[in-house]
Amino acid sequence: MNRVDPLLLGEDLTAQLARLDMGGLGCVELLEQQLAAITASQPILNAYVAIDESAARAAAADSDARRKAGQARALEGVTIAIKDNLDVAGMVSTAGMATRRDAAVAVRDSTAVARLREAGAVIIGKLNMHEAALGADNNNPHFGACHNPHRPGFTPGGSSGGSGAAVAAGLCSAALGTDSMGSVRIPASYCGVVGLKPSWGAISTHGSVALSHRLDHVGPLTRSARDLRRLLPVLAGFDPASAQSRSITMLPTSTGPLRLGIVDFGDAVHCNDDVAAEFVRSLDVLFGLGHRRVDLPAPAFPPGHARRAGLLVCEAELLVEHRHDWQHQRDRFSPMLAKLMSYAEGRSAADLVDASRLLDRAQVQLQQWLAACDVLVTPTTPQRAFAFADAVPANQADLTGYANFSGNPALSVPMAVGEGELPLGLQLVGRVGDELRLIALAEAFQHATRWQPRLPAASHSWGMS
C-alpha cells in the first residue's frame, strides 16, 4: 500500500486530468494506485463485482502512449467504473442477479461505455448494485452488501450503490450508474458525491439490462460538480440504436440570478429533522449567492402514491425483461424480488394503465412547479444513510422520483455537513435540457461552501489515510 497516495485518489476527475496533462502523473500509475486501493478496500466495502486488470492496464498504457505522442483525447487515462447492468465488452452484465451470473459475456460495449472509451477513459471494472436495480440499499443477497465508505455497516444507497461507494472512496475517477426513481442521486446523497440524472434520452440506455423503459436513465457519479462538465459532452448524444434516445439541446448557462422553487411538502414527505435543518442552511447559501426564493404549493397528492405506481411499472417490466429466468429458475430470485414480481404478476392491464396515468399526474405536478421557477430545490433524500440492520425507509425515493416520471434533469450535490456526520444531498431539478444550469448552480454552491473532495475519514480502516 505504500504506492497509494490518498491525496491523489481523493482528487476529482478534473484535478487528476490536470496532473496527467502536466506530465507529473502517468495513466498507468493512476490506475495502479486505484487497483491497490480496490484490493485494500474490497473486503470492507465490496464495491466491485469484477475487474479486468489486464484490459485496464493495456488501456492505460495506450493512454500514456497517446499522451506522449500529443494525441490525448478528452478523458485520456482517467478511470471510469461501470454499474453492472451496463454492458462492457468481455464482461458479464449480471444486473446484481444470480440468474445472470453465468450469462455470456457482452460482445460489445453499451453506447455510454463506448463513448467513454472513444474519449480515452480507462474502463476499470463492474460495480456492485441492488439486485435487478429494484431497490435502494444495495444489500445484495447474491454478491454481498456494498458498504458506505463513510461508515461501513451502513448502506451506500442504491440501486447504484457500488458507483457511489467507489467514487467516494477514490476507487475510480468517476462512475456510471442508472437511475429509475433516484438510483444515481440516492447513493450520491448517502455517499457524499455528485450524481446527475440527465434529461430522459440524453444519454443512451442501449446495452443496459432494463428496469423500466419509461423511467431508466444512465448518469455519471463524480467527486465534484465541475467533473460533470467533462463527462456530459462525451456521454450525451442521440443514439439511433435506442428507442429511448432523444436529441436534447443543452441550454446555455444563465448568468443572472435564478428563481429557486421551494415546495411546501408538509406531511406529504417526512424528512428527518437533521435533514430539514441542513436543507435550510443550504438554502441560505444559495440565497446568499443572489438567487430568489419562490414558494411553491404542496403537491396535489402524496409523492408516495406516485412512487408506488412507479414500483408497479418497474415490477411489471421485470417480468418481461427476465421472462425466461422467471419461468425456468424462479428459485434463483431473492425472496424479496420474487415477492415484488409476483405482486405485479397478479395485477391487471388496467392496473398498469392506472399506474402509468398516476405517473403522468406526477409529471404534470413537476411541470407546474417549474413553470413558476427556474430550478426546483429539495433535499435529495429524506434521511441520511442507515445501518443495514435497520428497516429500509419506504420514502427514500419520494423526492427523487418526480424527475424520472417527467424525464427532467436532476442533480444531487453534497450539503456541507459537520465533521464526522454522514453526508446529505441537495437536489436541483430543472427543465429538459437544463443540465448546464444545474451543474453551474452546483459548482457555485460547492465554491460557496468551500467544499473540497477528499477520501472519507473511515478510509484509514483499509490503509488509505
Side-chain angles (χ1 to χ4, degrees), residues 164-306:
V167 171
L171 309 181
C172 53
S173 302
L176 282 189
T178 61
D179 189 313
S180 304
M181 285 199 293
S183 290
V184 161
R185 289 158 289 152
I186 292 170
S189 177
Y190 287 175
C191 292
V193 298
V194 177
L196 173 67
K197 184 206 76 65
S199 301
W200 187 80
I203 299 175
S204 174
T205 57
H206 180 65
S208 66
V209 182
L211 176 59
S212 166
H213 283 245
R214 170 173 179 168
L215 304 178
D216 287 357
H217 301 64
V218 173
L221 293 96
T222 62
R223 283 189 285 278
S224 72
R226 68 176 183 169
D227 284 350
L228 296 175
R229 292 190 180 278
R230 304 279 188 149
L231 291 168
L232 186 59
V234 170
L235 291 164
F238 177 69
D239 177 12
S242 171
Q244 291 73 42
S245 184
R246 297 293 181 269
S247 182
I248 303 293
T249 299
M250 300 291 175
L251 303 174
T253 302
S254 302
T255 56
L258 300 173
R259 297 171 300 158
L260 303 183
I262 313 301
V263 176
D264 176 15
F265 282 105
D267 294 331
V269 177
H270 174 69
C271 277
N272 292 357
D273 290 344
D274 58 335
V275 177
E278 292 291 354
F279 179 60
V280 169
R281 283 191 279 272
S282 295
L283 290 179
D284 288 341
V285 172
L286 290 174
F287 298 140
L289 295 172
H291 303 301
R292 180 165 65 88
R293 178 181 182 125
V294 176
D295 289 308
L296 300 172
F301 60 95
H305 292 180

Side-chain angles (χ1 to χ4, degrees), residues 285-368:
V285 172
L286 290 174
F287 298 140
L289 295 172
H291 303 301
R292 180 165 65 88
R293 178 181 182 125
V294 176
D295 289 308
L296 300 172
F301 60 95
H305 292 180
R307 167 177 45 81
R308 287 191 289 275
L311 284 173
L312 177 55
V313 169
C314 292
E315 291 157 359
E317 289 207 45
L318 285 180
L319 291 171
V320 176
E321 183 75 10
H322 303 283
R323 179 187 287 118
H324 182 272
D325 291 333
W326 184 244
Q327 292 173 348
H328 298 285
Q329 45 180 337
R330 192 172 300 194
D331 60 329
R332 299 187 72 188
F333 291 74
S334 74
M336 176 56 72
L337 182 58
K339 178 180 177 181
L340 294 173
M341 293 173 65
S342 295
Y343 174 79
E345 204 169 30
R347 300 302 95 194
S348 68
D351 291 332
L352 291 175
V353 172
D354 279 342
S356 181
R357 289 187 176 181
L358 188 56
L359 300 188
D360 290 344
R361 289 180 59 198
Q363 175 178 343
V364 169
Q365 176 70 85
L366 181 59
Q367 290 171 174
Q368 290 173 338

Side-chain angles (χ1 to χ4, degrees), residues 144-159:
C146 176
H147 291 253
N148 193 310
H150 291 272
R151 194 169 297 175
F154 280 56
T155 175
S159 60

Side-chain angles (χ1 to χ4, degrees), residues 43-172:
I44 297 172
L45 300 184
N46 193 33
Y48 281 81
V49 296
I51 300 171
D52 189 343
E53 293 190 18
S54 61
R57 287 187 171 110
D62 180 66
S63 287
D64 274 330
R66 283 178 172 271
R67 284 186 168 278
K68 185 176 180 180
Q71 299 172 348
R73 297 161 291 182
L75 299 175
E76 199 68 68
V78 290
T79 61
I80 311 291
I82 311 299
K83 184 177 180 179
D84 201 22
N85 60 349
L86 294 167
D87 286 348
V88 172
M91 304 187 81
V92 176
S93 295
T94 72
M97 303 177 70
T99 55
R100 297 181 60 90
R101 188 191 293 268
D102 300 321
V105 300
V107 297
R108 61 181 61 86
D109 291 329
S110 60
T111 300
V113 171
R115 287 179 172 164
L116 291 171
R117 281 200 207 271
E118 290 165 3
V122 174
I123 306 303
I124 195 169
K126 304 296 288 290
L127 293 163
N128 203 334
M129 58 178 286
H130 198 102
E131 183 186 19
L134 189 61
D137 65 9
N138 213 137
N139 192 1
N140 190 297
H142 311 298
F143 295 88
C146 176
H147 291 253
N148 193 310
H150 291 272
R151 194 169 297 175
F154 280 56
T155 175
S159 60
S160 309
S163 303
V167 171
L171 309 181
C172 53

